[in-house]
Amino acid sequence: MRRFSIVCLCLVAILLSVPGASRAQTLEDKVREFELDNGMKFLVVERREAPVVFCAVAFKVGAIYESNGITGLSHLLEHMLFKGTETIGTKDYEQEVPYIEREDELAVAARGLMIEIEPWRLGYYDDQVTELTASMSDEDREAIGTDRALELELVVEMLEEAGPTDEMRSAGGLLEEGETDYFELFLTLKRTEMELYDTMEEHRELVISNELWETYMNNGSRMLNAGTSNDGTFYFAYLPSNRLELFFLLESDRLENAVFREFYTERDVVMEERRMSENSPDDVLYESFMSTAYSASPYGVPVLGWMSDLAMMTRADLQSYFDTNYGPNNALGIFVGDVDVKQVEKLAKKYFGKLEAGPPLPELTTKEPKQQGERRVVVKQDAKPSLYIGYHVVNPPHPDGYAIDLLSSVLSSGRTGRFYKSIYEDQGLTRTAPGVWIGPGARLDPMFIIEADPKDPHTLEEVELAILAEIERLKTEPVDMRELERTWNQEEARLVRSLGSNIGLAFTVGMYANLRGDWRAILTDMERSREVTPDDIMRVAEEYFTEENRTVGWLVETASEDDGEDTGDEFDFGQLMMWAQTLPEEERGMLMMKFQSLDEAGREAFARELWERMKAEQGDAEPESEEPADDEPAVEEPAGEETTDEE
């Protein structure tokens, strides 16, 4: 699922990328910036092609600012900021307050009981609850429906009737310790949770669900979305330009007066996301790989957080995190389209200027120690084999970062990349060409990560050795200048293409501003990339791509009753993305709008529908192997930052 999420984001970017007149060389003439007294910064780009404007507020706060006990809070907050304010999403906020306070009291009480019972005991008790729930009659299940409080009521009755199991009675310290009856405490926990869900159900009568969303949609918004990564969080909407003030009104309101109603309902939603991730072989491999590669850096912790932290979170945790980190001084407003910079500045002062600055973000001082030897992790799942190979590297503006970026393109830039030609095409070792991305973020030292899926009957070991052989080749054979020139052309073409639409320009300029502190780094990066030599690439390959600095993750296939032969009809993400670029601009826009309206499962189904259409149009022919022209842009997977989509 994680890998498909990355591909989905890449597909969105392609559908949104259309030819345009904006070029990197003219950016300094187009981008206007200003800053309010409270420290909030704004970037504005006037593009008068159509009466629409892309609006975004990006926060520098991401998962790397979380601490033990609150992992996943940035992502959960992204969900909660769609729940409204004191005036949006409510029939009567004053009447809501007692319900919110009572929900908090019950949640804190439940948390205290879980801590007192201790996680190891809870594991035994939860197993019993699972067994009892599975034994419920069809009539009980039909009566329960989605009523969580009623389900808990029946569970308590069944626990009281059944009592502890014989196995539990024989385990010393499980049921009692001293004068403490832990089984009775567990019953109290379930009764407390039952009351919490009853209160939430009563509270729901005062809530107007999705009012923020509907307000945007009713005013012509083409999209309303948000995303959370390791490095930041962003909220955006595409609106008719005559609705610009609406964006300022709504976004300043939810920054100043956010009400985190339905917190515990939404926490359950995020916990279900966490469960889905834990049941996804791709996600299990990725998380195991990252937590093995990183021993100190917060990049080793998933953006979704750990389940044990999510289960203990309260609304007070969220409120404190929001109040501490989400001040206007940690935010960036981005506006691209049919707007006037003076109008934007006037509205910014009117709506955001009244907000008080919060404390600055804490400095991120924890640095990943130098790795002293190869690390390996093996995950066993009922899934096709897969592998990761990663090396700790650096990002621009570190001088070596530019050579590393170009090196990644040399290896994986579409059908001209070495991995495609050698491992996928010539040797036929993988189901798709091995991919390369640098991540999971850019604020801290990242990983240079290679992903590959062996093609039956080839093994993980064969593919790993082939990849390592290509890595070693970089250390001993200088990259040909023609190959390097083609890579430069592809990178610059990709950048220019991203600047050809409002959303592409906004994300490119905004991300550079948020991550690097100055959007002009786009231009300096292009210049410094052009200064990289074949000797530089050989040097960084020798320095960073060592056995001591390497982490390897294997997903090993376990036996399955349904195992069958590989049909060979694999879903080739890169091929689909290249095909999407050939569609007419209007059709790409329509596909993009449909894509944005779907959830994760819907997006996967839609992408596969496009895959079938592509095969039909191409007569199911194999892609040509000839090299594209030197300046033809290639498509590669973006950095592996986790994002989530609202609504």
Side-chain angles (χ1 to χ4, degrees), residues 371 373-375 389-391 468 546-552:
Q371 191 166 315
E374 185 184 65
R375 300 172 184 170
I389 300 174
Y391 300 88
L468 295 182
T546 65
E547 181 181 356
E548 293 76 15
N549 191 37
R550 185 166 66 221
T551 300
V552 179

Side-chain angles (χ1 to χ4, degrees), residues 197 274 415 638:
Y197 281 95
R274 176 70 248 178
R415 282 177 282 171

Side-chain angles (χ1 to χ4, degrees), residues 430-552:
T430 57
R431 302 200 297 268
T432 59
V436 176
W437 54 277
I438 300 172
R443 289 193 188 278
L444 309 176
D445 288 347
M447 295 285 290
F448 184 100
I449 299 173
I450 303 163
E451 295 182 66
D453 303 313
K455 181 179 181 180
D456 189 64
H458 299 290
T459 65
L460 288 163
E461 184 176 19
E462 285 181 85
V463 174
E464 180 181 334
L465 290 174
I467 290 172
L468 295 182
E470 287 296 331
I471 294 293
E472 290 303 311
R473 182 181 160 206
L474 290 167
K475 302 177 184 179
T476 57
E477 299 178 18
V479 173
D480 183 85
M481 281 304 299
R482 181 175 179 274
E483 189 175 10
L484 194 55
E485 185 74 33
R486 180 172 61 238
T487 301
W488 283 327
N489 291 340
Q490 289 172 341
E491 292 299 316
E492 290 184 10
R494 185 180 295 111
L495 173 61
V496 170
R497 189 173 67 248
S498 74
L499 302 178
S501 66
N502 289 347
I503 188 171
L505 201 159
F507 272 108
T508 303
V509 173
M511 290 303 179
Y512 264 86
N514 230 20
L515 294 175
R516 298 280 292 279
D518 188 349
W519 65 267
R520 294 171 185 82
I522 299 171
L523 308 179
T524 56
D525 278 0
M526 287 177 60
E527 295 169 0
R528 291 173 184 172
S529 179
R530 278 282 181 180
E531 296 169 358
V532 173
T533 67
D535 286 343
D536 291 328
I537 291 179
M538 289 182 68
R539 177 181 56 79
V540 298
E542 186 71 36
E543 180 175 347
Y544 294 94
F545 294 169
T546 65
E547 181 181 356
E548 293 76 15
N549 191 37
R550 185 166 66 221
T551 300
V552 179

